[in-house]
Amino acid sequence: MDCEPFFGLNRQGGRLVRASLGANRFYNPPMDDWVQRAMQRWPNVPALFGWLALDRRGRWLVRGERITHPRIVATIDRNYAGDEHGRWFFQNGPQRGYMALAGAPYVLRAEGASLVTHNGLPVERISSAYIDEEGAITLATEHGPGELLGADLEWALQRLRKTGEPVDEEQLADVLAAPSGELTTLALEIEGAALPLIRLDYADAPAHLGFERDPQPHPGERTSAGAPD
């Protein structure tokens, strides 16, 4: 999937600085050794669609029910990635279980001045910032697009600036009313660097940021009715 080049932020010397970046590439951390061995041993296991999901609070779901077992949650956390088509999945041994996304591929939470993904990955690079018609904020990170947890929106609002000054409710309302795709007059300041804030409707985010909320099999792709025994 082709993505436009972007102008973003990199971390240098413990802080984020503006940097010119090339094509938007996401970093998928290495998966568990047992998963990699299973993929090598059984390389053509049909993929699973329609079972798994990620909600906007960063919780894994199976058939609409929240997954709560700590060991299962941790396993999904470590073996979650995106494919070349923008479909995100849990690699369950040799089988991919594709995730329906309520928001973005990642849910971000604030930890002091920093951000971490819902599955525990520290955010070291932010390339662009977006705000939708309801005020939800999505950031393009090195891991992939992440929507800021609703409970942490105040963290972002405290960092919004217009010509270096804090933003009031009227200025924010004007931004929310702007058309999707418009570069706003606001910036999100993170660790001393300012990211221009872009208005982007919720419905427009997948196409603009290169991910699928409702992943579907492609023509000729083998699928499974359930997880392997």
Side-chain angles (χ1 to χ4, degrees):
M1 177 176 294
D2 293 330
C3 298
E4 294 181 355
F6 51 77
F7 190 83
L9 301 180
N10 279 332
R11 187 180 297 274
Q12 293 181 3
R15 61 176 293 162
L16 292 171
V17 297
R18 293 176 68 88
S20 180
L21 304 175
N24 192 353
R25 303 298 183 198
F26 304 146
Y27 169 69
N28 289 330
M31 294 185 178
D32 290 349
D33 288 343
W34 69 271
V35 170
Q36 298 185 51
R37 290 195 300 269
M39 288 190 293
Q40 292 173 357
R41 185 173 182 182
W42 299 287
N44 298 310
V45 175
L48 185 66
F49 291 85
W51 281 52
L52 303 175
L54 175 68
D55 71 14
R56 295 181 84 171
R57 297 176 65 181
R59 302 177 301 185
W60 303 118
L61 309 176
V62 58
R63 294 208 157 182
E65 298 293 330
R66 182 184 176 189
I67 299 173
T68 58
H69 193 290
R71 185 174 177 181
I72 297 175
V73 170
T75 299
I76 300 175
D77 286 349
R78 295 192 307 271
N79 298 285
Y80 177 62
D83 71 10
E84 67 274 20
H85 306 293
R87 303 177 301 179
W88 291 74
F89 61 90
F90 161 46
Q91 188 70 45
N92 182 19
Q95 184 182 53
R96 287 186 177 184
Y98 282 96
M99 289 280 176
L101 306 173
Y106 288 99
V107 178
L108 307 177
R109 66 175 186 270
E111 290 190 353
S114 300
L115 293 168
V116 64
T117 68
H118 69 279
N119 58 335
L121 303 175
V123 174
E124 300 290 339
R125 193 181 78 217
I126 301 173
S127 61
S128 48
Y130 306 87
I131 187 167
D132 73 10
E133 65 271 33
E134 299 295 332
I137 289 179
T138 297
L139 304 175
T141 79
E142 75 270 34
H143 307 297
E147 182 180 81
L148 190 64
L149 186 68
D152 285 336
L153 279 178
E154 185 63 28
W155 180 93
L157 293 176
Q158 292 175 356
R159 290 164 170 77
L160 286 181
R161 296 290 184 271
K162 182 173 183 177
T163 61
E165 298 297 325
V167 174
D168 60 32
E169 291 185 4
E170 183 176 351
Q171 291 168 329
L172 182 58
D174 289 342
V175 165
L176 297 183
S180 183
E182 182 172 290
L183 180 63
T184 76
T185 58
L186 306 187
L188 181 65
E189 290 192 353
I190 302 179
E191 298 189 17
L195 272 174
L197 190 65
I198 301 166
R199 259 287 286 115
L200 186 66
D201 281 353
Y202 173 86
D204 294 339
H208 188 86
L209 297 174
F211 68 90
E212 295 187 15
R213 286 204 177 105
D214 183 23
Q216 298 295 321
H218 292 173
E221 190 170 19
R222 298 173 63 206
T223 64
S224 172
D229 295 333

